[in-house]
RNA sequence: GCGAGCGUGGCGAAACUGGUAGACGCAAGGGACUUAAAAUCCCUCGACUUCGGUCAUACGGGUUCGAUCCCCGUCGCUCGCACCA
């Protein structure tokens, strides 16, 4: 029987339409079955999807389809992370309004995603720039404000004086604005902050409960939160050297044990005492200025030399009032960590040591390694910052660093300076509060009003939403909201006088910090429907890129806690399972070198292989092109492959199948033409085998064989089913692919026999059973092809509605096992024996094997190790 | 500098809890079918070999009856953080 080639261009839209008509993927919140929430990080609507999206969404779709077949009520929604700078840049460059640019992009990306055949519930779709979404975000903001989770404070920002805007740190390149090229200034602006630090300890501790997250991400978050245990320590200023009104300096330290090694105090250039000193001393002022400038731009590049200047201030050592130490301003002390002041212990800290050597300050070793010798231990150019035994530390000598920490902490806590304890134990975090103010148009307006009399007044909830005005211009730099003629003018909600709206909008990370919660009831007229949110959260499986390991995931964890405190959800953690997938990478091609180097797109070249050497030639002129390294797909290197082209020529199933095969999902996958063709051959092969046999299988009822020639077929299929099921449960897509290939290889000959009219009824029933298992196994990856095959076998109804098959235990367990037989750890023979044979029987049978007798050559075994159902090892 | 991870054929990779190293795919080579090509099907495919075997999982040691897997050291690559007191 001649069979037509499988034509994805015909089949894929056809099945997509059927799924659509049957609303297979629309999820009912009231469905009583066990829930499963699978989500991929929603995309920014840049205009086109790329291969990274294809891989990300293919993975999520496999999980969604698999869990659906397993009987779960699956929620698998999609939306758009739609606010942000690119829309405003488009407005500036091309005069398009950000809204129309964004919604057009959404429309085209949506049609691309639809062409992939993803099993998404599109009825829940929204974009974060929809008023219907961001009005609820404003409501959440106001609730957080009431709870004290939002506040304003002055803080330093990167200010671009040409564009009149604040720049994120990533937008500052070599001290200049990435767009304007202007030298970036540090400005103090009043900004809105979320109090994420209220949850520092909880965010840290709860990481331990996230056992379905990659260890790596948890570690990154742990380091980011940066908990340290130490103490606050107050140093009395020697009166004669004190600036007016100042009596003490407070420092934070994690090493109170090294207190006798102190030789100076150092404060940040922005420390209040530094400012006092600068006011009266031009040299100090100049030094502080220099620190500030270096801090903004090149600090990260140079491993900046430790520099400082003596303030003239002297302090008394807390444990010896007769001991006076100098106070320096130092460039390596940060104002926004701890108290902006440290005590320097040169022997125990490399920075302090470098500093001390430069300014001739004493270096007293106070800790030596446990196996050191107190008489000879000294410090050269390298500080010793490890644990050990105290020396040169009076009453601490001989104690361990841990003991010394406790003794000093206890003693200082019980001492007083003025009317407060000299020191107290203190846990400190690196994590800072989250600044959310952006001086931009295309973001969620912060719903507050500034009144000269009443101060900062929240917009009353009944007045929400605060909607972005549409009539804005982008012909001048700065925030269009600021110069809008009417929008910002508003009556104060409290006193009714003329007042001004806040013109800052929110960081777009706010938008993505709760969208997964909104998906649970996007129609609700409050931010959440509490029962729906509680039902669905946490997300069972979240899938996305590792680049969001810290910010997005940490902000979302904070947001969920804040929403919990304000009664919008009961869950504490948003994502139960997290998976970070690798990138799609591709070879690069280029010609020319240096400045005239030209990158060539994969679509414009042809590869030839001669004597094992691959060479690339340009399609247009036949000129040879150099094959470069394999890199992340990027426009600048032109090594991009457009998903649209792939779907048009091979179909969505091939693209999906390929990005899931080959590499483990957490690792990068190399996109190659040959690989895609291999995947495509597979789809054609599967179709051909099923289609050719379908005529003789249509009228047969599936039934696995328990004996006869067909038994092996049924065993193979049911074992594959068990294995692939396990692979899907663990997101081992590449292994599932390999096993599916094996199953197709094993079924090729039986299917061909059936196609030729061979095989009795029982044989055909077993083949049909195996074929159906195969189709179900590939369905999550290549759903259109699977539906087509399913229908070809004469099945009515959609495969997407069909339950996952159940493997037959008796077919999966072998009665006989093949044991490898080793002699001295090297394999010499094989033994086939009954699964439940006891040790003695195995030993006896092994020694009777020809190969074993030959290898032993008369020697008596010293020992025979039998690992049941595994292996036998004979030691001679 | 600190932290984490990785290193297996020509290539992407498998190998369960320490138990037959290289499944599966790609590339390559040979053959069948064809007037021919494509497609398809079959075979070979780590290295060396005196065809008995021997050596092979970055390198050097160790533990073990047995190590890709565990331990110690070295080298290389990737990622994250980087004055955090």
């Amino acid at each position: 029987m001649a069979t037509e080639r499988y034509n994805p261009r015909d089949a894929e839209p056809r099945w997509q339409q059927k799924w659509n008509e049957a609303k297979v993927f629309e999820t009912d919140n009231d469905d009583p079955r066990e829930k499963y929430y699978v989500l991929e990080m929603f995309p920014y609507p840049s205009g086109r999807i790329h291969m990274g999206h294809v891989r990300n969404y293919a993975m999520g779709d496999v999980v969604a389809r698999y869990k659906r077949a397993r009987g779960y009520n699956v929620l698998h929604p999609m939306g758009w992370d739609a606010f942000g700078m690119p829309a405003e840049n488009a407005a500036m460059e091309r005069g398009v309004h950000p809204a129309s640019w964004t919604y057009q992009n959404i429309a085209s990306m949506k049609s691309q995603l639809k062409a992939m055949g993803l099993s998404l519930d599109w009825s829940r779709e929204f974009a974060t720039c929809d008023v219907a979404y961001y009005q609820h975000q404003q409501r959440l903001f106001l609730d957080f404000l009431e709870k004290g989770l939002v506040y304003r404070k002055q803080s330093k920002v990167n200010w671009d004086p040409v564009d009149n805007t604040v720049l994120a740190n990533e937008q500052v390149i070599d001290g200049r604005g990435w767009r304007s090229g202007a030298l970036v200034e540090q400005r103090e602006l009043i900004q809105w902050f979320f109090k994420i630090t209220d949850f520092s300890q909880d965010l840290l501790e709860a990481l331990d409960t996230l056992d379905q997250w990659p260890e790596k991400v948890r570690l990154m978050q742990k380091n980011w939160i940066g908990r340290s245990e130490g103490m606050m320590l107050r140093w009395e200023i020697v009166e004669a050297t004190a600036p007016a009104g100042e009596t003490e300096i407070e420092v934070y330290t994690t090493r109170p044990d090294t207190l006798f090694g102190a030789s100076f105090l150092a404060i940040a250039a922005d420390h209040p005492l530094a400012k006092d000193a600068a006011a009266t001393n031009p040299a100090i002022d100049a030094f502080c200025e220099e620190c500030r400038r270096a801090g903004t731009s090149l600090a990260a590049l140079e491993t900046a030399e430790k520099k400082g200047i003596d303030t003239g201030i002297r302090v008394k050592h807390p444990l010896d009032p007769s001991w006076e130490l100098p106070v320096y301003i130092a460039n390596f002390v940060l104002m926004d960590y701890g108290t902006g002041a440290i005590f320097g212990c040169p022997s125990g800290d490399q920075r302090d040591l470098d500093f001390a050597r430069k300014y001739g300050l004493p270096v007293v070793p106070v800790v030596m390694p446990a196996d050191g010798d107190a008489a000879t231990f000294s410090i050269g150019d390298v500080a010793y910052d490890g644990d050990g035994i105290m020396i040169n530390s009076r009453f601490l000598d001989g104690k361990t660093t841990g003991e010394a920490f406790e003794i000093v902490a206890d003693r200082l806590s019980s001492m007083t300076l003025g009317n407060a304890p000299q020191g107290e134990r203190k846990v400190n975090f690196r994590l800072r509060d989250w600044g959310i103010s952006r001086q931009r148009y295309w973001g969620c307006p912060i719903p507050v009003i500034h009144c000269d009399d009443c101060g900062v007044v929240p917009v009353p909830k009944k007045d929400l939403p605060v909607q972005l005005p549409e009539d804005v211009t982008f012909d001048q730099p700065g925030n269009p909201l600021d110069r809008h003629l009417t929008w910002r003018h508003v009556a104060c909600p409290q006193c009714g006088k003329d007042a001004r709206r806040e013109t800052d909008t929110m960081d777009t990370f706010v938008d993505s910090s709760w969208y997964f919660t909104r998906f649970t009831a996007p129609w609700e007229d409050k931010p959440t429907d509490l029962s729906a949110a509680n039902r669905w959260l946490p997300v069972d499986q979240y899938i996305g890129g590792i680049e969001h390991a810290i910010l997005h995931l940490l902000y979302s964890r904070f947001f969920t806690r804040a929403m919990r405190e304000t009664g919008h959800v009961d869950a504490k953690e948003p994502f139960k399972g997290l998976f970070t997938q690798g990138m799609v990478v591709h070879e690069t091609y280029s010609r020319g070198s240096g400045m005239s180097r030209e990158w060539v797109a994969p679509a414009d070249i042809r590869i030839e292989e001669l004597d094992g050497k691959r060479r690339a030639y340009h399609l247009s002129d036949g000129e040879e092109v150099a094959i470069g390294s394999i890199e992340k797909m990027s426009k600048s290197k032109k090594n991009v492959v457009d998903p649209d082209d792939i779907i048009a020529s091979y179909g969505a199933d091939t693209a999906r199948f390929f990005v899931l095969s080959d590499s483990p999902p957490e690792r990068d996958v190399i996109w190659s033409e040959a690989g895609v063709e291999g995947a495509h051959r597979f789809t054609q092969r599967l179709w051909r085998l099923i289609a050719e046999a379908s005529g003789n299988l249509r009228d047969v009822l599936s039934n696995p064989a328990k004996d006869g020639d067909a038994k092996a077929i049924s065993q193979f299929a049911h074992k594959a089913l068990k294995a692939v099921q396990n692979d899907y449960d663990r997101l081992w897509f590449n292994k599932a692919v390999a096993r599916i290939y094996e199953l197709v290889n094993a079924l090729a000959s039986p299917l061909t026999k059936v196609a030729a009219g061979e095989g009795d009824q029982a044989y055909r029933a077993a083949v049909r059973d195996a074929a159906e298992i195969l189709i179900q196994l590939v369905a999550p990856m290549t759903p259109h092809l699977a539906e087509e095959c399913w229908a070809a076998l004469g099945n009515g109804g959609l495969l997407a509605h069909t339950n996952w098959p159940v493997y037959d235990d008796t077919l999966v367990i072998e009665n006989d096992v093949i044991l490898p037989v080793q002699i001295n750890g090297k394999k010499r023979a094989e033994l086939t024996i009954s699964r439940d044979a006891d040790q003695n029987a195995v030993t006896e049978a092994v020694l009777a094997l020809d190969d074993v007798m030959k290898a032993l050559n008369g020697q008596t075994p010293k020992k025979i190790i039998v690992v049941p159902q595994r292996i036998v090892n004979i030691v001679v």
Side-chain angles (χ1 to χ4, degrees):
Chain A
M1 180 177 114
T3 311
E4 287 187 25
R5 280 172 69 78
Y6 174 66
N7 181 1
R9 276 181 295 276
D10 162 63
E12 292 184 350
R14 192 153 36 77
W15 290 110
Q16 284 162 17
Q17 198 188 335
K18 291 199 181 180
W19 295 329
N20 215 16
E21 282 162 4
K23 297 183 189 275
V24 191
F25 309 127
E26 289 189 19
T27 305
D28 178 2
N29 277 357
D30 296 325
D31 189 316
R33 292 173 302 164
E34 195 180 337
K35 69 98 181 179
Y36 193 91
Y37 187 177
V38 55
L39 184 69
E40 301 95 62
M41 291 181 184
F42 68 165
Y44 179 80
S46 58
R48 325 248 337 133
I49 63 168
H50 52 71
M51 277 301 166
H53 291 126
V54 173
R55 194 171 189 214
N56 190 184
Y57 300 142
M59 288 180 190
D61 203 44
V62 171
V63 175
R65 286 178 182 269
Y66 170 66
K67 290 290 180 183
R68 219 175 267 118
R70 292 301 297 265
Y72 289 89
N73 182 31
V74 170
L75 177 58
H76 187 213
M78 181 57 74
W80 309 95
D81 188 12
F83 272 135
M85 287 280 294
E88 285 189 62
N89 293 338
M92 281 183 261
E93 281 156 19
R94 279 176 278 153
V96 218
H97 193 278
S100 56
W101 182 85
T102 303
Y103 284 107
Q104 271 168 26
N105 284 350
I106 288 175
S108 59
M109 283 176 81
K110 185 173 174 181
S111 77
Q112 289 185 296
L113 290 186
K114 289 210 156 182
M116 280 182 67
L118 302 171
S119 65
L120 291 163
D121 181 353
W122 284 106
S123 74
R124 295 177 187 240
E125 174 195 9
F126 59 78
T128 55
C129 64
D130 297 342
V131 190
Y133 179 75
Y134 73 69
Q135 63 172 328
H136 299 295
Q137 191 161 305
Q138 294 175 332
R139 163 76 192 270
L140 292 174
F141 179 95
L142 294 173
D143 287 349
F144 290 3
L145 190 62
E146 276 173 31
K147 266 274 175 189
L149 293 167
V150 188
Y151 66 101
R152 288 171 97 212
K153 75 169 177 195
Q154 202 157 77
S155 94
K156 271 204 244 172
V157 294
N158 303 306
W159 180 261
D160 184 322
V162 171
D163 279 356
N164 285 324
T165 188
V166 167
L167 298 177
N169 285 333
E170 312 82 72
Q171 294 165 343
V172 181
I173 299 157
D174 288 342
R176 292 175 181 275
W178 67 292
R179 165 176 294 281
S180 68
L183 269 176
V184 170
E185 299 168 6
Q186 294 286 290
R187 277 210 187 171
E188 294 271 335
L189 278 188
I190 296 183
Q191 305 261 297
W192 287 96
F193 285 84
F194 281 148
K195 277 200 103 177
I196 190 171
T197 55
D198 269 11
F199 299 90
S200 300
Q201 183 67 33
D202 187 38
L203 287 167
L204 179 70
E205 275 171 12
L207 285 174
D208 290 339
T209 68
L210 299 175
D211 55 354
Q212 290 176 46
W213 279 40
E215 193 53 48
K216 182 184 168 132
V217 174
R218 290 197 282 173
L219 188 69
M220 282 164 76
Q221 293 215 349
K222 189 179 164 211
N223 292 339
W224 186 264
I225 295 167
R227 183 182 198 273
S228 65
E229 284 179 20
M231 64 185 313
M232 291 297 217
L233 186 49
R234 296 158 67 226
W235 298 64
E236 186 182 355
I237 300 177
V238 175
E239 220 179 311
T241 66
E246 303 288 351
T247 57
E248 61 178 56
I249 299 176
E250 191 174 32
V251 306
Y252 177 72
T253 179
T254 56
R255 295 297 299 273
D257 49 310
T258 64
L259 199 50
F260 287 110
S263 56
F264 63 94
L265 256 57
I267 60 176
D270 290 320
H271 194 278
L273 278 173
K275 290 185 175 166
D276 287 349
T280 57
N281 184 331
I284 293 178
D285 190 41
F287 180 77
C288 290
E289 258 322 296
E290 191 191 321
C291 289
R292 266 176 224 123
R293 251 177 296 130
T296 67
S297 55
L298 300 160
L301 293 176
E302 312 167 56
T303 6
E305 191 192 351
K306 308 285 171 276
K307 279 192 209 164
I309 189 165
D310 190 344
T311 58
I313 301 171
R314 295 293 176 268
V315 291
K316 293 182 185 174
H317 195 282
L319 297 174
D320 180 355
S322 66
W323 180 356
E324 291 187 3
L325 294 88
V327 178
Y328 279 74
I329 296 166
N331 64 348
F332 63 92
V333 179
L334 307 172
M335 188 58 220
D336 45 11
Y337 186 78
T339 61
I342 62 159
F343 80 77
C345 172
S347 62
D349 184 292
Q350 194 59 45
R351 293 158 302 174
D352 297 347
L353 181 62
D354 295 346
F355 192 82
R357 292 287 186 228
K358 178 158 178 157
Y359 295 101
L361 296 159
V363 178
V364 181
V366 286
V367 180
M368 66 170 184
D371 56 0
D373 174 12
T376 57
F377 185 73
S378 68
I379 294 288
D381 291 335
V382 182
Y384 179 72
D385 60 4
D387 287 339
I389 304 297
M390 305 309 302
I391 51 174
N392 301 323
S393 295
R394 307 185 191 186
F395 56 88
L396 298 174
D397 284 351
K399 305 273 194 255
T400 66
T401 39
E403 290 161 355
F405 184 113
E406 296 304 322
I407 293 167
V408 173
D410 287 347
R411 180 177 291 219
L412 292 173
S413 301
S414 63
M415 288 165 57
T416 52
L417 176 63
N419 50 7
Q422 180 108 38
E424 56 187 318
R425 288 168 208 263
K426 162 100 178 158
V427 171
N428 211 18
F429 293 92
R430 204 190 79 114
L431 183 67
R432 323 253 173 85
D433 277 334
W434 173 15
I436 60 154
S437 288
R438 296 291 180 272
Q439 290 66 37
R440 308 236 58 100
Y441 165 75
W442 196 231
C444 173
I446 293 175
V448 298
I449 291 165
H450 299 277
C451 171
D452 287 338
D453 293 349
C454 310
V456 176
V457 182
V459 171
K461 285 174 190 163
K462 65 173 171 47
D463 293 346
L464 291 182
V466 177
Q467 211 165 335
L468 285 171
E470 280 172 32
D471 52 333
V472 282
T473 54
F474 293 89
D475 49 352
Q476 315 165 41
N479 183 351
L481 293 177
D482 265 339
R483 56 174 186 266
H484 192 277
L485 293 174
T486 54
W487 186 79
R488 60 180 306 191
H489 302 297
V490 66
C492 170
Q494 266 175 32
C495 68
K497 273 183 43 176
D498 284 352
R500 299 168 313 281
R501 280 193 192 287
E502 171 67 67
T503 56
D504 283 354
T505 52
M506 295 183 209
D507 180 3
T508 56
F509 273 117
V510 180
D511 312 334
S512 55
S513 289
W514 72 288
Y515 75 105
F516 44 87
T517 307
R518 185 67 189 166
F519 276 141
T520 64
W523 45 77
E524 184 64 30
D525 59 8
K526 303 189 298 288
T528 64
D529 164 348
L530 197 57
S531 71
N534 289 342
R535 164 114 212 263
W536 286 111
L537 290 180
V539 174
D540 294 276
Q541 186 63 63
Y542 195 37
I543 307 176
I546 186 77
E547 66 274 17
H548 293 111
I550 297 176
L551 295 184
H552 163 58
L553 292 167
L554 192 61
Y555 291 155
S556 298
R557 296 180 62 217
F558 156 72
F559 225 83
T560 305
R561 283 164 169 76
M563 285 176 73
R564 187 183 193 221
E565 298 227 329
T566 47
H568 293 286
V569 64
D570 289 346
K572 191 160 120 178
E573 286 294 341
F575 311 119
K576 185 171 168 213
L578 172 70
F579 188 84
T580 54
Q581 97 274 3
M583 294 183 297
V584 181
V585 294
H586 196 286
E587 257 179 352
T588 50
Y589 311 100
S590 64
R591 52 182 178 185
S593 61
M595 294 296 282
S596 63
R597 183 173 200 175
E598 176 205 6
W599 298 97
V600 184
D604 295 333
I605 60 145
R606 153 178 66 87
I607 301 260
E608 280 180 14
E609 183 154 345
L610 222 125
D611 300 332
K613 274 223 159 189
R614 294 172 69 246
R615 289 163 175 270
Y617 300 92
H618 204 289
L619 276 182
S620 64
D621 52 21
E623 198 192 323
E624 183 162 0
V625 173
I627 300 180
S629 59
I630 294 169
E631 293 183 47
K632 177 184 181 175
M633 286 189 183
S634 74
K635 276 183 195 153
S636 61
K637 300 241 167 110
K638 285 202 184 164
N639 60 339
V640 284
V641 174
D642 188 343
D644 266 4
D645 295 346
I646 300 301
I647 291 173
S649 43
Y650 297 104
D653 284 339
T654 293
R656 295 166 56 124
F657 194 72
F658 177 68
V659 293
L660 295 170
S661 56
D662 267 345
S663 289
E666 68 280 5
R667 231 182 276 177
D668 292 349
V669 66
I670 301 171
W671 184 276
S672 73
E673 276 304 304
V676 177
E677 274 164 22
H680 191 242
R681 269 201 298 277
F682 166 82
T683 62
Q684 291 296 345
R685 182 171 190 227
L686 176 58
W687 167 249
R688 189 169 6 88
L689 289 170
I690 297 288
E692 286 176 358
S694 63
N696 292 331
L697 289 178
R698 282 180 158 265
D699 304 321
V700 182
L701 278 180
S702 281
N703 190 22
K706 297 293 174 70
D707 44 41
D709 342 333
K711 185 182 177 190
I713 298 170
S714 296
Q715 281 181 314
F716 203 104
H718 284 250
K719 280 185 196 168
L721 169 56
K722 185 181 178 185
V724 171
Q725 201 171 298
N726 181 49
D727 293 337
Y728 282 156
D729 281 330
R730 293 159 194 252
L731 311 182
W732 290 345
F733 307 116
N734 59 319
K735 294 185 201 177
V737 167
R739 283 190 231 279
I740 286 167
Y741 269 114
E742 282 177 324
L743 181 55
V744 174
N745 290 343
L747 292 185
S749 136
L751 282 167
T752 309
K753 275 189 196 162
V754 170
E758 297 168 28
D760 59 15
Q761 199 69 10
Y763 187 87
R764 292 184 186 191
V767 170
R768 177 167 182 145
D769 176 67
E772 290 193 339
I773 286 173
L774 169 62
I775 293 166
Q776 300 241 43
L777 292 183
V778 291
M781 302 202 239
T782 61
H784 313 86
L785 172 68
E787 291 280 7
E788 195 78 2
C789 291
W790 190 250
L793 289 181
N795 289 303
L798 290 166
L799 178 57
H801 272 140
T802 309
N803 284 333
W804 194 251
V806 178
Y807 62 82
D808 184 330
D809 261 321
T810 62
L811 289 169
V812 170
I813 293 169
E814 289 281 1
N815 289 324
D816 289 343
V817 287
I818 300 170
L819 292 180
V821 179
Q822 295 181 332
I823 293 173
N824 286 339
K826 295 225 157 100
K827 189 197 161 192
R828 297 295 173 191
E830 264 179 5
L831 173 71
T832 305
I833 196 162
S834 147
R835 181 187 172 75
D836 40 22
D838 66 16
Q839 284 228 350
N840 291 336
V842 172
T843 310
E844 220 168 282
V846 161
L847 290 174
L849 288 171
D850 282 353
D851 286 339
V852 172
M853 290 198 284
K854 215 163 97 192
L856 285 179
N857 200 15
Q859 299 171 84
T860 325
K862 268 191 205 151
K863 197 172 169 188
I864 298 177
I865 293 145
V866 178
V867 184
Q869 289 163 48
R870 281 274 182 204
I871 204 164
V872 180
N873 193 10
I874 303 171
V875 187
V876 188

